[in-house]
């Protein structure tokens, strides 16, 4: 039996694009359900924040994602909060290596 390891890179790339790119977020928000698109609670939580922000303000949250996290962290389970905090701490490194938007759209279509 072959074991496939899941490192979550694709999910993190999609979330990063949702955080920084309004056009991409608009496309994702059209199909976003409240339960989310991902297999991960923390990823769906961040995705929900992005979609709610977009629906309210018509743009991607960008740096406001940190403020959203600070407001929402008391409502989260510790494990979820820790995962989101780690993602947000490493977001700049991910941003530097982020693939082109067309590739991210293709990745997102898989979800």
């Amino acid at each position: 039996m072959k074991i496939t390891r899941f490192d979550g890179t694709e999910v993190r790339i999609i979330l990063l694009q949702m955080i920084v790119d309004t056009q991409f977020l608009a496309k994702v928000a059209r199909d976003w359900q409240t339960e989310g698109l991902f297999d991960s609670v923390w990823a769906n939580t961040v995705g929900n924040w992005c979609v709610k922000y977009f629906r309210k303000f018509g743009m991607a949250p960008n740096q406001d994602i940190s403020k959203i996290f600070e407001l929402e962290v008391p409502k989260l389970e510790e494990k979820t909060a820790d995962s989101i905090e780690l993602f947000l701490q490493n977001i700049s490194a991910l941003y530097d290596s982020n693939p082109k938007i067309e590739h991210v759209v293709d990745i997102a279509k898989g979800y």
Side-chain angles (χ1 to χ4, degrees), residues 9-70:
T9 301
E10 290 180 341
V11 170
R12 289 191 302 274
I13 289 170
I14 293 167
L15 287 172
L16 171 63
Q17 205 67 38
M18 289 174 71
I19 292 168
V20 301
D21 188 325
T22 298
Q23 290 179 325
F24 180 80
L25 180 54
K27 291 176 184 177
V28 173
R30 286 190 305 234
D31 297 322
W32 190 267
Q33 303 296 318
T34 54
E35 63 273 0
L37 301 175
F38 306 111
D39 294 332
S40 163
V41 172
W42 77 265
N44 285 327
T45 300
V46 174
N48 276 320
W49 293 345
C50 291
V51 170
K52 285 179 185 178
Y53 190 96
F54 173 77
R55 289 178 179 160
K56 185 172 184 177
F57 299 109
M59 58 191 293
N62 288 295
Q63 291 90 354
D64 285 348
I65 198 69
S66 295
K67 294 174 189 166
I68 294 168
F69 174 73
E70 292 300 322

